[in-house]
Amino acid sequence: MKKTLMASLVALTLSGCASSQLDQPFSLTIAHINDTHAHFDASDVRLTFADNAVYTQAGGSARLLSYANQLSEQAKDQQHAFLFLHAGDAWQGTGYFKQHQGAMSADVLSRMHLDAMTLGEREFSLDNARLASFIEQVNFPVLAANLDTRQEPALSEQENLQPYVLYRFKGNKKQQVASVKEAGKYPVVAVFGLINQDLASQGANLGHLRVSDEISRAQSTVNALKEQGVNYIVALTHLGLEKDRELAQSVNGIDVIVGGHADALLGDFSDIGGTKNEPYAQSFTNPNGRGRTCVVQSGQRGQAMGKVTVTFTYDGRVSQCQGNNTLLVDSRFYRDASHNEQQRLNDAQLEQVNQHIAHSSKVAIVEEDKSLQQYIAKQYRPSLLQAYGKTIGMVPNTLNHATQPVDGKSSQVAPLVAASQWYWANTPAVQSVTGRQVDFALVSAGTPQQNIEVGVLKTGQINMGLLPSTEALSLVSLSGRQVAGVILEAINSAIAKGADGSQFPYVAGLRYEFNETSPGRGYVNNLEYQQQGQWTRLKPNQQYQVALSGFHSQDTLFDAQQVLTDRLDLAYVNGKLAAFPVARLTKNAHGKIAPDYINQPLNCQDAQVSCEAAAVAFTEYVQQVHPTLTPVTETGISLNRL
């Protein structure tokens, strides 16, 4: 009896030396957001209750902060540990970012009391000096375990960019610690970051940064944390849902993956007029067959927040993982998208809406945090409203942008962008500069940067949010065979395993069928263009004039233009449209493709030059053709997947 007791005490002592975190069950609540894309203000949304449409606003930084504070208080009452995490892509997407770049993001996110953030591809859209400034200014750790900064001067000495962070919990009270030893007897949660190893192919400006394989780096990081005695491990990633699932099934020891890069808001929102997407919290078995990893993501544009509560067994394994995404809405509702006070719901109608919301776990009325709302309104909003300018159209229902037209999630935005470029290139004003009749337009899914929200549409929302790119819109002659090659290469790139879909080709004045023959591969069929109102098959050797946006790094286009091309890049110089003729394309030692101009090179960074022809095209298209902006009736795409 004494020997058994002594052995038990020795085992318990040894266990305590390794880690004291196993003394009692542990529960962790995580509030999380991702892909907020500089949506600091609330955005307009359309909801449906009992087949009746109503309009209100959702999200925004002040509302997210208010809800995060509510969840923190709930966790405190339940004696749960609590973390508030951002899974990347805080940059780009609104006029706020175009005006202030990373500075406003650093300011506002720091006021939201985040515990950690990882980096998405949008954080690499400027240059490493400005990314370094953002990381230095925020008051929370920025995490990226698979990012090697040693050869990048702008980031090599940045102390706030870390592989992981450790938080000690005394009940609900947390404190950042340097080691498990510093935590004493209290539980420690590690959060480590992972960024996409394919950032370079997504157009990220990496400089001398190097990104390593996500899976191998994740496993080595987990192993190192386990050796320190950490038993609760969260991966904060910006890889996309498919890669998160692969990570969960390929790495031992991750308890929760909080991800980003999501197009859809996970969960079933069909009862409020949304879509039924995949379940929010899914659990996957690790390769050792013993551990399990819970995977969650929230949506985009800061309209919703995810909340997951993870309960652990005595030996540190996940026993329960539960939660959901919640759309955070204002208390004011209207009968139409104008949000005119005359269209505001009366008391009886409002009561019905409130009853529906009270019985739904997917939507909540949340008032904005007054302090943050007032700060944004005073410090930043006046200059943005001035820059947004005049109203050019009305959007009756939000037009959603998704990269690939599969599973009923085709982009409603990219076909409109393609239609605008086809229309604009053939207007007399543009033809007087180019001297060309354009047969059709090709636009990559990565060209539009966001949805087009319900409500009024203003000029600045186009050039500062939807189409902020500084890449020129091009006109180029391609043979029918080359057009087919461009489309095929783009689709194969977009549907490859782990791809973000940004290369997917949307069209106007053209239609095609793609048939997948094996996973991620296939062929293009029935390639036709609209000739004098009739659909006509493209001839392999005939030349066609194409408006092109977003494919300039493609091998097929490089092969077609490296010797001789008639390409024109369109930009505005001192407010006047100008064409910049290209002689050929060249490729540097790093594989980057660039045009050699015949005369004056096009420099989109020049203060007198504007490369926003795509935004101008869309603006004029809305004003002159489509002032009530609704989806095109036919996208021209038939995609047959296995």
mmCIF file of all heavy atoms in Angstrom, residues 9-23 180-181 184-185 226-231:
data_model
loop_
_atom_site.group_PDB
_atom_site.id
_atom_site.type_symbol
_atom_site.label_atom_id
_atom_site.label_comp_id
_atom_site.label_asym_id
_atom_site.label_seq_id
_atom_site.Cartn_x
_atom_site.Cartn_y
_atom_site.Cartn_z
ATOM 1 N N LEU A 9 2.902 9.178 -5.873
ATOM 2 C CA LEU A 9 3.389 10.515 -5.569
ATOM 3 C C LEU A 9 4.578 10.886 -6.438
ATOM 4 O O LEU A 9 4.691 12.016 -6.910
ATOM 5 C CB LEU A 9 3.780 10.607 -4.086
ATOM 6 C CG LEU A 9 2.611 10.587 -3.087
ATOM 7 C CD1 LEU A 9 3.132 10.489 -1.663
ATOM 8 C CD2 LEU A 9 1.765 11.844 -3.246
ATOM 9 N N VAL A 10 5.465 9.924 -6.649
ATOM 10 C CA VAL A 10 6.618 10.172 -7.514
ATOM 11 C C VAL A 10 6.160 10.477 -8.934
ATOM 12 O O VAL A 10 6.626 11.412 -9.577
ATOM 13 C CB VAL A 10 7.579 8.966 -7.514
ATOM 14 C CG1 VAL A 10 8.637 9.137 -8.588
ATOM 15 C CG2 VAL A 10 8.251 8.831 -6.149
ATOM 16 N N ALA A 11 5.192 9.681 -9.440
ATOM 17 C CA ALA A 11 4.684 9.902 -10.798
ATOM 18 C C ALA A 11 4.034 11.264 -10.915
ATOM 19 O O ALA A 11 4.216 11.977 -11.912
ATOM 20 C CB ALA A 11 3.674 8.802 -11.161
ATOM 21 N N LEU A 12 3.281 11.649 -9.885
ATOM 22 C CA LEU A 12 2.620 12.944 -9.909
ATOM 23 C C LEU A 12 3.645 14.074 -9.881
ATOM 24 O O LEU A 12 3.517 15.073 -10.575
ATOM 25 C CB LEU A 12 1.674 13.058 -8.702
ATOM 26 C CG LEU A 12 0.841 14.341 -8.601
ATOM 27 C CD1 LEU A 12 -0.043 14.481 -9.826
ATOM 28 C CD2 LEU A 12 0.006 14.332 -7.333
ATOM 29 N N THR A 13 4.722 13.875 -9.065
ATOM 30 C CA THR A 13 5.769 14.889 -9.002
ATOM 31 C C THR A 13 6.461 15.062 -10.339
ATOM 32 O O THR A 13 6.693 16.176 -10.815
ATOM 33 C CB THR A 13 6.797 14.511 -7.923
ATOM 34 O OG1 THR A 13 6.130 14.399 -6.676
ATOM 35 C CG2 THR A 13 7.888 15.580 -7.821
ATOM 36 N N LEU A 14 6.787 13.929 -10.964
ATOM 37 C CA LEU A 14 7.434 13.989 -12.273
ATOM 38 C C LEU A 14 6.531 14.638 -13.309
ATOM 39 O O LEU A 14 6.969 15.427 -14.153
ATOM 40 C CB LEU A 14 7.833 12.580 -12.732
ATOM 41 C CG LEU A 14 8.965 11.929 -11.915
ATOM 42 C CD1 LEU A 14 9.152 10.499 -12.357
ATOM 43 C CD2 LEU A 14 10.267 12.713 -12.074
ATOM 44 N N SER A 15 5.238 14.307 -13.230
ATOM 45 C CA SER A 15 4.290 14.910 -14.163
ATOM 46 C C SER A 15 4.241 16.418 -13.969
ATOM 47 O O SER A 15 4.189 17.187 -14.915
ATOM 48 C CB SER A 15 2.892 14.298 -13.974
ATOM 49 O OG SER A 15 1.946 14.975 -14.731
ATOM 50 N N GLY A 16 4.293 16.847 -12.702
ATOM 51 C CA GLY A 16 4.263 18.275 -12.431
ATOM 52 C C GLY A 16 5.500 18.976 -12.916
ATOM 53 O O GLY A 16 5.452 20.131 -13.344
ATOM 54 N N CYS A 17 6.651 18.282 -12.917
ATOM 55 C CA CYS A 17 7.871 18.882 -13.444
ATOM 56 C C CYS A 17 7.768 19.096 -14.939
ATOM 57 O O CYS A 17 8.225 20.096 -15.466
ATOM 58 C CB CYS A 17 9.074 17.983 -13.137
ATOM 59 S SG CYS A 17 9.507 17.964 -11.380
ATOM 60 N N ALA A 18 7.168 18.127 -15.619
ATOM 61 C CA ALA A 18 7.019 18.264 -17.076
ATOM 62 C C ALA A 18 6.042 19.373 -17.388
ATOM 63 O O ALA A 18 6.246 20.174 -18.281
ATOM 64 C CB ALA A 18 6.548 16.945 -17.676
ATOM 65 N N SER A 19 4.931 19.377 -16.664
ATOM 66 C CA SER A 19 3.938 20.438 -16.871
ATOM 67 C C SER A 19 2.904 20.315 -15.773
ATOM 68 O O SER A 19 2.453 19.223 -15.444
ATOM 69 C CB SER A 19 3.266 20.304 -18.238
ATOM 70 O OG SER A 19 2.180 21.189 -18.314
ATOM 71 N N SER A 20 2.524 21.416 -15.186
ATOM 72 C CA SER A 20 1.490 21.422 -14.160
ATOM 73 C C SER A 20 0.124 21.681 -14.747
ATOM 74 O O SER A 20 -0.832 21.917 -14.040
ATOM 75 C CB SER A 20 1.813 22.493 -13.113
ATOM 76 O OG SER A 20 1.836 23.757 -13.733
ATOM 77 N N GLN A 21 0.026 21.637 -16.102
ATOM 78 C CA GLN A 21 -1.230 22.000 -16.753
ATOM 79 C C GLN A 21 -2.240 20.864 -16.752
ATOM 80 O O GLN A 21 -3.366 21.029 -17.203
ATOM 81 C CB GLN A 21 -0.956 22.414 -18.210
ATOM 82 C CG GLN A 21 -0.054 23.608 -18.300
ATOM 83 C CD GLN A 21 0.240 23.973 -19.727
ATOM 84 O OE1 GLN A 21 -0.683 24.136 -20.516
ATOM 85 N NE2 GLN A 21 1.485 24.095 -20.082
ATOM 86 N N LEU A 22 -1.838 19.666 -16.246
ATOM 87 C CA LEU A 22 -2.727 18.520 -16.324
ATOM 88 C C LEU A 22 -3.512 18.307 -15.040
ATOM 89 O O LEU A 22 -4.175 17.297 -14.895
ATOM 90 C CB LEU A 22 -1.900 17.255 -16.637
ATOM 91 C CG LEU A 22 -0.979 17.350 -17.857
ATOM 92 C CD1 LEU A 22 -0.263 16.026 -18.059
ATOM 93 C CD2 LEU A 22 -1.740 17.726 -19.093
ATOM 94 N N ASP A 23 -3.384 19.227 -14.085
ATOM 95 C CA ASP A 23 -4.004 19.022 -12.785
ATOM 96 C C ASP A 23 -5.520 19.090 -12.835
ATOM 97 O O ASP A 23 -6.186 18.545 -11.962
ATOM 98 C CB ASP A 23 -3.493 20.067 -11.787
ATOM 99 C CG ASP A 23 -1.997 19.905 -11.526
ATOM 100 O OD1 ASP A 23 -1.469 18.831 -11.854
ATOM 101 O OD2 ASP A 23 -1.382 20.850 -11.002
ATOM 102 N N VAL A 180 7.040 28.264 -20.275
ATOM 103 C CA VAL A 180 6.156 27.525 -19.372
ATOM 104 C C VAL A 180 6.658 27.634 -17.939
ATOM 105 O O VAL A 180 5.878 27.728 -16.989
ATOM 106 C CB VAL A 180 6.066 26.049 -19.812
ATOM 107 C CG1 VAL A 180 5.276 25.224 -18.794
ATOM 108 C CG2 VAL A 180 5.428 25.940 -21.184
ATOM 109 N N LYS A 181 7.964 27.651 -17.786
ATOM 110 C CA LYS A 181 8.550 27.768 -16.451
ATOM 111 C C LYS A 181 8.088 29.043 -15.758
ATOM 112 O O LYS A 181 7.801 29.062 -14.561
ATOM 113 C CB LYS A 181 10.076 27.739 -16.552
ATOM 114 C CG LYS A 181 10.787 27.757 -15.205
ATOM 115 C CD LYS A 181 12.291 27.659 -15.390
ATOM 116 C CE LYS A 181 13.007 27.665 -14.038
ATOM 117 N NZ LYS A 181 14.479 27.579 -14.191
ATOM 118 N N GLY A 184 4.584 28.921 -13.944
ATOM 119 C CA GLY A 184 4.373 28.218 -12.691
ATOM 120 C C GLY A 184 3.392 27.070 -12.839
ATOM 121 O O GLY A 184 3.455 26.285 -13.790
ATOM 122 N N LYS A 185 2.428 27.009 -11.940
ATOM 123 C CA LYS A 185 1.468 25.900 -11.934
ATOM 124 C C LYS A 185 0.270 26.147 -12.836
ATOM 125 O O LYS A 185 -0.620 25.293 -12.935
ATOM 126 C CB LYS A 185 0.990 25.650 -10.515
ATOM 127 C CG LYS A 185 0.198 26.828 -9.926
ATOM 128 C CD LYS A 185 -0.258 26.526 -8.499
ATOM 129 C CE LYS A 185 -1.059 27.697 -7.933
ATOM 130 N NZ LYS A 185 -1.550 27.411 -6.554
ATOM 131 N N LYS A 226 5.676 21.186 -27.299
ATOM 132 C CA LYS A 226 5.429 20.043 -26.417
ATOM 133 C C LYS A 226 6.637 19.769 -25.530
ATOM 134 O O LYS A 226 6.501 19.434 -24.337
ATOM 135 C CB LYS A 226 5.102 18.805 -27.252
ATOM 136 C CG LYS A 226 3.762 18.861 -27.964
ATOM 137 C CD LYS A 226 2.590 18.744 -27.012
ATOM 138 C CE LYS A 226 1.267 18.614 -27.751
ATOM 139 N NZ LYS A 226 0.102 18.563 -26.831
ATOM 140 N N GLU A 227 7.835 19.898 -26.090
ATOM 141 C CA GLU A 227 9.052 19.667 -25.311
ATOM 142 C C GLU A 227 9.175 20.679 -24.177
ATOM 143 O O GLU A 227 9.748 20.392 -23.131
ATOM 144 C CB GLU A 227 10.271 19.750 -26.217
ATOM 145 C CG GLU A 227 10.411 18.558 -27.149
ATOM 146 C CD GLU A 227 11.567 18.719 -28.126
ATOM 147 O OE1 GLU A 227 12.324 19.709 -27.991
ATOM 148 O OE2 GLU A 227 11.712 17.861 -29.020
ATOM 149 N N GLN A 228 8.621 21.876 -24.385
ATOM 150 C CA GLN A 228 8.634 22.883 -23.320
ATOM 151 C C GLN A 228 7.599 22.589 -22.235
ATOM 152 O O GLN A 228 7.639 23.201 -21.160
ATOM 153 C CB GLN A 228 8.336 24.267 -23.907
ATOM 154 C CG GLN A 228 9.391 24.815 -24.829
ATOM 155 C CD GLN A 228 9.031 26.206 -25.331
ATOM 156 O OE1 GLN A 228 8.616 27.070 -24.544
ATOM 157 N NE2 GLN A 228 9.168 26.429 -26.621
ATOM 158 N N GLY A 229 6.659 21.698 -22.536
ATOM 159 C CA GLY A 229 5.609 21.396 -21.575
ATOM 160 C C GLY A 229 4.281 22.051 -21.865
ATOM 161 O O GLY A 229 3.380 22.070 -21.017
ATOM 162 N N VAL A 230 4.118 22.614 -23.071
ATOM 163 C CA VAL A 230 2.842 23.231 -23.453
ATOM 164 C C VAL A 230 1.872 22.140 -23.877
ATOM 165 O O VAL A 230 2.193 21.309 -24.727
ATOM 166 C CB VAL A 230 3.036 24.241 -24.608
ATOM 167 C CG1 VAL A 230 1.685 24.822 -25.018
ATOM 168 C CG2 VAL A 230 3.999 25.340 -24.200
ATOM 169 N N ASN A 231 0.685 22.152 -23.311
ATOM 170 C CA ASN A 231 -0.304 21.126 -23.630
ATOM 171 C C ASN A 231 -1.485 21.627 -24.446
ATOM 172 O O ASN A 231 -2.258 20.826 -24.965
ATOM 173 C CB ASN A 231 -0.829 20.481 -22.350
ATOM 174 C CG ASN A 231 0.144 19.463 -21.804
ATOM 175 O OD1 ASN A 231 0.535 18.518 -22.471
ATOM 176 N ND2 ASN A 231 0.565 19.694 -20.567
#
